[in-house]
Amino acid sequence: KTKNKILEIKDLYVNYGAIKAIKGIDINVNKGEIVTLIGANGAGKTTTLDTIVSLVKAKSGVIKLGEEEITNVPSDKIIQKGIALSPEGRRIFSNLTVYENLLMGAYTRTDQEEIKKDFEWVYSLFPRLKERRKQKGGTLSGGEQQMLAIARALMSRPKILMLDEPSLGLAPLLVKEVFEIIKKINSEGTTVLLVEQNAKAALDVADYAYVLETGIITMEGPANEIANNPDVRAAYLGG
Ligand code: ATP
């Protein structure tokens, strides 16, 4: 497989006031891969994703999409350039219908015909959302809201889909379903950056993995190697 770097993070630092959340991390994502960032609660996983899309400002360091530097570029511009975030805790619009939620995901686009095609694409990935397209987001089950958050992110037709804890709070059967869909989205050409506390599920689906501990990358490698590492097994995979 030829490696073609699509996202590059170099020596990134992020602070919240006096709290040093990210302390000099390097991350590379190659085109077509699923890359996962695993680590305990508070390690800085969400902060990393939020910084990539400028919801949080980088203190120093460089973030590049292909050859272009995107550090601290406004979020809507970054979405237009091809990065989408499905945020933790789903954060869908409860009072908007499923259809309207999806439309919000396409808000930076003007290509009406292509948007129509992408509705068909996400409805084919998530048939339940099609059935419920007229229902208010708030009436969906937890699993369906998670699907909606992912589908909404896809409506910007990203080159890179970033998923923050897509399995959080889901029953095991739904976790399996969400990960199957992530695999399918990836196999259809979207590069994926996946943040998870469910390290087992994430390492099962990923090509490459980074372990983040209190703002520092402590380990990285092919996902199967990370999954077999004794330290990772002890700390994140229940021994
Ligand atoms: P979680 O799975 O709980 O989201 P995480 O690995 O994503 O964990 P972050 O949410 O990125 O970790 O948090 C990293 C550190 O930054 C933590 O110490 C956290 O308390 C702190 N932090 C996160 N958001 C803020 C904020 N808005 N203000 C101050 N500190 C914050």
Side-chain angles (χ1 to χ4, degrees):
K1 196 152 83 174
T2 54
K3 304 278 186 206
N4 184 349
K5 209 183 284 177
I6 184 168
L7 181 71
E8 182 179 12
I9 299 176
K10 263 190 127 64
D11 208 22
L12 178 70
Y13 284 78
V14 184
N15 295 349
Y16 296 104
I19 299 168
K20 294 180 167 48
I22 299 293
K23 298 177 279 194
I25 63 169
D26 294 312
I27 290 176
N28 288 308
V29 178
N30 292 316
K31 195 161 184 273
E33 284 183 343
I34 300 180
V35 172
T36 188
L37 199 53
I38 61 171
N41 214 305
K45 305 182 298 298
T46 297
T47 300
T48 302
L49 296 191
D50 285 354
T51 309
I52 293 169
V53 291
S54 294
L55 290 174
V56 170
K57 209 166 173 292
K59 179 171 175 282
S60 64
V62 173
I63 303 172
K64 282 167 78 180
L65 177 63
E67 289 303 309
E68 189 182 6
E69 178 164 359
I70 57 163
T71 326
N72 297 330
V73 165
S75 302
D76 57 331
K77 293 280 183 323
I78 291 181
I79 295 168
Q80 267 175 337
K81 289 177 194 300
I83 303 179
L85 172 63
S86 174
E88 186 180 10
R90 296 159 207 155
R91 275 180 257 165
I92 55 136
F93 302 101
S94 310
N95 291 318
L96 298 184
T97 65
V98 166
Y99 169 80
E100 290 163 340
N101 267 279
L102 292 174
L103 201 55
M104 293 295 284
Y107 84 101
T108 61
R109 299 173 58 181
T110 53
D111 47 341
Q112 299 306 328
E113 283 308 307
E114 294 300 307
I115 291 172
K116 256 190 221 162
K117 279 187 204 157
D118 287 341
F119 266 106
E120 290 316 310
W121 174 47
V122 302
Y123 282 149
S124 72
L125 284 167
F126 303 97
R128 269 206 302 270
L129 294 183
K130 184 172 190 180
E131 288 165 24
R132 302 194 175 183
R133 63 191 180 279
K134 292 177 184 157
Q135 243 173 269
K136 293 265 164 73
T139 69
L140 301 180
S141 71
E144 289 163 350
Q145 290 189 19
Q146 183 57 63
M147 307 280 185
L148 180 55
I150 298 171
R152 186 181 57 186
L154 287 177
M155 285 302 294
S156 65
R157 200 192 279 170
K159 295 183 195 126
I160 305 174
L161 174 65
M162 303 198 301
L163 300 160
D164 195 353
E165 302 274 4
S167 77
L168 195 72
L170 300 186
L173 210 62
L174 274 173
V175 172
K176 198 163 169 260
E177 199 178 324
V178 165
F179 278 92
E180 291 295 332
I181 289 170
I182 293 169
K183 257 196 278 186
K184 185 159 183 221
I185 292 166
N186 175 252
S187 71
E188 290 177 2
T190 308
T191 304
V192 174
L193 179 55
L194 170 68
V195 154
E196 265 296 345
Q197 279 191 49
N198 185 341
K200 188 182 182 313
L203 291 171
D204 272 350
V205 76
D207 297 295
Y208 200 85
Y210 292 86
V211 180
L212 191 61
E213 286 174 15
T214 57
I216 292 167
I217 305 280
T218 54
M219 211 181 299
E220 66 169 278
N224 59 336
E225 285 176 22
I226 296 293
N228 286 315
N229 179 286
D231 294 335
V232 172
R233 298 185 73 83
Y236 301 106
L237 300 171

